[in-house]
Amino acid sequence: MVATAAIQPAEAQAYDAIVIGAGFSGLYQLHKLRDELGLRVRVLDKAGGIGGTWYWNRYPGARCDSESYYYCYSFNKEIEQEWEWSERYPEHSEIRRYFDFVADRLDLRRDVQLSTEVTSARFDGARNLWLIETDAGERFEARFLVTAVGCLSTANVPKLPGLETFKGQWYHTGAWPLEGVDLAGKRVGQIGTGSTGIQAAPVLAEQAAHLTVFQRTANYSIPARNRPMTAEEIREIRASYPEIWRKARSGPNGHPFDIPTRSALSVSDAEREAIFEKAWEGGGLRFRASFNDILTNPAANDAASDFLRRKIREVVKDPEVAERLTPRDHGFATKRPPIDTAYFETFNRPNVLLVDLKAEPIVEATERGIRTSKREYELDVVVFATGFDALTGPLLALNIHGENGLPLSTAWAEGPRTYLGLQTPGFPNLFTITGPGSPSVLTNMPIAIEQHVDWITDCIRHMRQEGLERIEAKPDATESWGAHVNEAANATLLPMASSSWYLGANVPGKPRVFMPYAGGLARYAGICSEVARDGYRGFALR
Ligand code: NAP
């Protein structure tokens, strides 16, 4: 008889910190911990390349809604001054080139392990270490575990009955094939009209023979007004970076916009119209900053919403189609506002059809396409632009177990509970960059990311200087923070959009909790600094 040797688990590789994710957060966190604190750090990412969300989101039309000159790192003068963006809004491939540039410049790649999915992370309370396992059976142990997995990285593919019988191809926009998809001559069906769908539809309509857009909730959108950057603009921006970053950090959402002090109700109707018109012509997310109360005062919000509804009627030629495209159930920007390039114009094309799912809900996928309550739509390709299991999804997918084996899914059964979005009680030495309860998705992400990474780095530096091995959020501080997050959301109109992913409403069965911190980035950063200055108030350290 041949004895089979028992399979020994691989020996754990020891690091000071494991960082999960190689996008904006993970790469910067690696740089800070390795190059400033001298820690041994390993970054793990399941993707085959760096770039985080921009590795996965390669759907036609994918580009950033923040403007390129401030959708980038601010911490390194040379990178800031040498990198040159080609357009007002960067396309996904250009953002990946930017990541390559940064990774090469800071020599980051040698500590980034790609194509490696974390399958579990368990805290060993006796040794104050995290034990991390990967899909390849590798094991790592580290004092600190930092998640840098982004907020919108777990695809939400609706459970469509019959999808397995569909004879065509289907794709989710957030997991677009690297090699692209040839849509020439194809009948494409797009489900979803959020920021992604609104970017994708005009390009899909150009590439495909025919596009059917299945819309559940009509959406507002502002024209992006994308265009090439001029040499003059680039020179000016480079010279103004100190002021640009100062503004971005001192505002509510990480955009370097001047914050108006006027209310939409403080001006005459004609003036208001002129201000909206100018903002519409300028394009982009700046429209939100036309007045200071669009997201706090229902009457101001109505004014903005009405203006945008009128614009839809002006652009879309068929009045019936225009009406179906007009949002009536939520106010502008109570859901994340999309920006677009010729979205509403797309519905004037002869090869585009709008299906209103409120009038004819999808019943099932069939061999030939999609059947609604009214009829079957024959399709070759279905594109799910149906969003993400936002904020909590990417963290719960890591299969994290804290002190005494406590699963994160149990700790968050009623919705995420965090202190400052940075830590969760029962999960010592685990830091969640842009976690739920922090401003995250309500901001221009790189600015929020840098603030979190800087804070985490300072905290770890402090612990090492003081010979401390463990930091954990206290339950009472976490409860108070949760109450403050609610209070901040309720001071705005944001919780009023009942189908918003900010509330988890887009994923069936997900607890309805307003997840990001709506109190503003500058205020939040101030609170984090104060907490640290106060000896890490609300955290237990030993
Ligand atoms: P999303 O905003 O959640 O939109 C998903 C769309 O799919 C919605 O129209 C939704 O309808 C629809 N949908 C979901 N499930 C459905 C179902 N079962 N049947 C029919 N329709 C369904 O997702 P997203 O557009 O991917 O955007 C998510 C976030 O990613 C954005 O808000 C933004 O923060 C970020 N993003 C950023 C950029 C950028 O900066 N370049 C680009 C794209 C996305 P309901 O509204 O009725 O739920």
Side-chain angles (χ1 to χ4, degrees), residues 63-65 152 192-196 216-217 335-336 385-387 501:
R63 67 175 67 240
C64 186
D65 290 346
L152 297 159
T193 52
S195 298
T196 301
R216 190 164 67 181
T217 305
K335 295 168 86 163
R336 156 70 151 74
T386 42
W501 58 259

Side-chain angles (χ1 to χ4, degrees), residues 164-178:
E164 66 291 349
T165 66
F166 176 53
K167 291 269 195 295
Q169 285 93 44
W170 66 264
Y171 307 95
H172 186 278
T173 49
W176 200 256
L178 266 50

Side-chain angles (χ1 to χ4, degrees), residues 21-279:
F24 266 112
S25 320
L27 294 179
Y28 182 43
Q29 187 68 82
L30 165 62
H31 170 61
K32 290 287 279 186
L33 294 179
R34 184 191 72 180
D35 301 335
E36 264 186 31
L37 302 194
L39 266 53
R40 286 163 304 150
V41 185
R42 190 103 183 128
V43 177
L44 309 175
D45 196 312
K46 70 177 170 196
I50 59 173
T53 194
W54 300 105
Y55 176 85
W56 300 103
N57 281 274
R58 302 173 187 232
Y59 58 87
R63 67 175 67 240
C64 186
D65 290 346
S66 285
E67 296 182 43
S68 53
Y69 73 92
Y70 63 86
Y71 187 75
C72 49
Y73 291 120
S74 73
F75 69 87
N76 183 299
K77 269 265 150 298
E78 284 98 55
I79 291 172
E80 169 202 281
Q81 293 294 318
E82 284 174 37
W83 178 258
E84 190 167 312
W85 294 108
S86 66
E87 293 177 275
R88 180 174 177 189
Y89 304 92
E91 210 209 0
H92 60 96
S93 54
E94 187 165 30
I95 305 175
R96 286 195 300 278
R97 285 198 295 281
Y98 173 75
F99 279 117
D100 285 338
F101 176 78
V102 172
D104 291 342
R105 182 53 65 94
L106 302 176
D107 190 18
L108 298 176
R109 286 180 207 279
R110 63 189 155 94
D111 294 307
V112 178
Q113 182 172 326
L114 297 167
S115 306
T116 302
E117 183 166 2
V118 169
T119 51
S120 73
R122 294 176 177 273
F123 187 68
D124 175 349
R127 295 191 300 151
N128 290 327
L129 292 177
W130 278 95
L131 306 173
I132 294 107
E133 292 193 349
T134 74
D135 56 348
E138 279 176 297
R139 299 169 75 233
F140 298 89
E141 59 180 40
R143 167 105 329 129
F144 299 105
L145 176 61
V146 186
T147 62
V149 289
C151 303
L152 297 159
S153 49
T154 306
N156 169 41
V157 179
K159 290 188 177 49
L160 205 54
L163 187 56
E164 66 291 349
T165 66
F166 176 53
K167 291 269 195 295
Q169 285 93 44
W170 66 264
Y171 307 95
H172 186 278
T173 49
W176 200 256
L178 266 50
E179 64 284 7
V181 181
D182 183 5
L183 296 172
K186 301 270 169 66
R187 295 162 304 175
V188 176
Q190 171 187 314
I191 305 179
T193 52
S195 298
T196 301
I198 282 179
Q199 284 187 337
V203 188
L204 294 175
E206 269 174 23
Q207 293 180 352
H210 188 270
L211 175 68
T212 307
V213 176
F214 295 89
Q215 168 193 278
R216 190 164 67 181
T217 305
N219 219 334
Y220 302 91
S221 184
I222 314 288
R225 315 261 183 232
N226 189 34
R227 52 176 170 71
M229 299 288 284
T230 65
E232 180 54 27
E233 273 175 319
I234 292 170
R235 254 195 314 278
E236 259 176 45
I237 285 167
R238 282 184 177 156
S240 320
Y241 263 124
E243 182 57 8
I244 289 169
W245 299 132
R246 189 198 61 72
K247 271 193 200 167
R249 290 202 183 85
S250 56
N253 48 24
H255 294 269
F257 303 158
D258 290 316
I259 307 300
T261 48
R262 62 184 175 217
S263 155
L265 310 177
S266 67
V267 295
S268 69
D269 290 355
E271 262 178 283
R272 190 183 315 113
E273 187 73 7
I275 290 167
F276 279 143
E277 193 63 46
K278 190 162 173 241

Side-chain angles (χ1 to χ4, degrees), residues 307-322:
F307 176 88
L308 294 171
R309 290 188 191 112
R310 269 183 275 131
K311 285 292 179 194
I312 298 172
R313 284 200 293 277
E314 279 170 28
V315 173
V316 180
K317 291 191 182 130
D318 180 333
E320 246 179 65
V321 175

Side-chain angles (χ1 to χ4, degrees), residues 201-522:
V203 188
L204 294 175
E206 269 174 23
Q207 293 180 352
H210 188 270
L211 175 68
T212 307
V213 176
F214 295 89
Q215 168 193 278
R216 190 164 67 181
T217 305
N219 219 334
Y220 302 91
S221 184
I222 314 288
R225 315 261 183 232
N226 189 34
R227 52 176 170 71
M229 299 288 284
T230 65
E232 180 54 27
E233 273 175 319
I234 292 170
R235 254 195 314 278
E236 259 176 45
I237 285 167
R238 282 184 177 156
S240 320
Y241 263 124
E243 182 57 8
I244 289 169
W245 299 132
R246 189 198 61 72
K247 271 193 200 167
R249 290 202 183 85
S250 56
N253 48 24
H255 294 269
F257 303 158
D258 290 316
I259 307 300
T261 48
R262 62 184 175 217
S263 155
L265 310 177
S266 67
V267 295
S268 69
D269 290 355
E271 262 178 283
R272 190 183 315 113
E273 187 73 7
I275 290 167
F276 279 143
E277 193 63 46
K278 190 162 173 241
W280 170 267
E281 282 308 320
L285 291 171
R286 260 171 221 263
F287 185 89
R288 240 182 343 187
S290 314
F291 296 100
N292 69 356
D293 53 355
I294 286 180
L295 264 179
T296 49
N297 182 329
N301 189 273
D302 283 349
S305 304
D306 282 345
F307 176 88
L308 294 171
R309 290 188 191 112
R310 269 183 275 131
K311 285 292 179 194
I312 298 172
R313 284 200 293 277
E314 279 170 28
V315 173
V316 180
K317 291 191 182 130
D318 180 333
E320 246 179 65
V321 175
E323 182 49 34
R324 276 185 269 142
L325 285 166
T326 302
R328 304 249 176 231
D329 66 346
H330 67 285
F332 166 65
T334 55
K335 295 168 86 163
R336 156 70 151 74
I339 65 172
D340 70 275
T341 299
Y343 174 65
F344 292 112
E345 289 83 345
T346 295
F347 294 92
N348 294 332
R349 293 176 64 114
N351 71 334
V352 174
L353 177 70
L354 176 70
V355 176
D356 178 3
L357 297 180
K358 291 262 156 72
E360 47 175 315
I362 293 179
V363 176
E364 59 180 359
T366 65
E367 275 188 24
R368 293 184 304 182
I370 285 180
R371 189 194 309 281
T372 67
S373 60
K374 284 199 180 147
R375 55 165 278 206
E376 183 177 29
Y377 294 86
E378 290 189 20
L379 302 166
D380 304 306
V381 175
V382 173
V383 174
F384 287 98
T386 42
F388 302 90
D389 180 355
L391 290 130
T392 51
L395 293 164
L396 293 172
L398 297 173
N399 190 18
I400 298 176
H401 290 71
E403 190 86 283
N404 303 318
L406 174 70
L408 187 61
S409 53
T410 303
W412 286 4
E414 311 285 311
R417 287 177 62 237
T418 72
Y419 182 37
L420 300 170
L422 281 160
Q423 275 218 334
T424 296
F427 298 81
N429 298 357
L430 168 68
F431 293 103
T432 47
I433 302 177
T434 63
S438 75
S440 64
V441 291
L442 299 179
T443 71
N444 168 45
M445 290 299 285
I447 296 288
I449 286 168
E450 286 186 337
Q451 184 265 335
H452 258 192
V453 169
D454 291 346
W455 191 95
I456 292 166
T457 306
D458 288 346
C459 176
I460 293 178
R461 177 189 287 116
H462 167 79
M463 290 177 70
R464 290 171 67 85
Q465 281 166 354
E466 300 295 316
L468 300 166
E469 290 192 346
R470 170 182 167 123
I471 177 166
E472 181 180 0
K474 291 182 182 169
D476 56 343
T478 302
E479 291 317 310
S480 315
W481 182 251
H484 178 58
V485 170
N486 268 330
E487 186 185 64
N490 290 331
T492 72
L493 303 175
L494 290 167
M496 292 179 72
S498 57
S499 66
S500 148
W501 58 259
Y502 294 153
L503 279 165
N506 63 326
V507 177
K510 191 166 170 170
R512 300 269 169 122
V513 174
F514 193 87
M515 294 180 286
Y517 176 62
L521 181 65

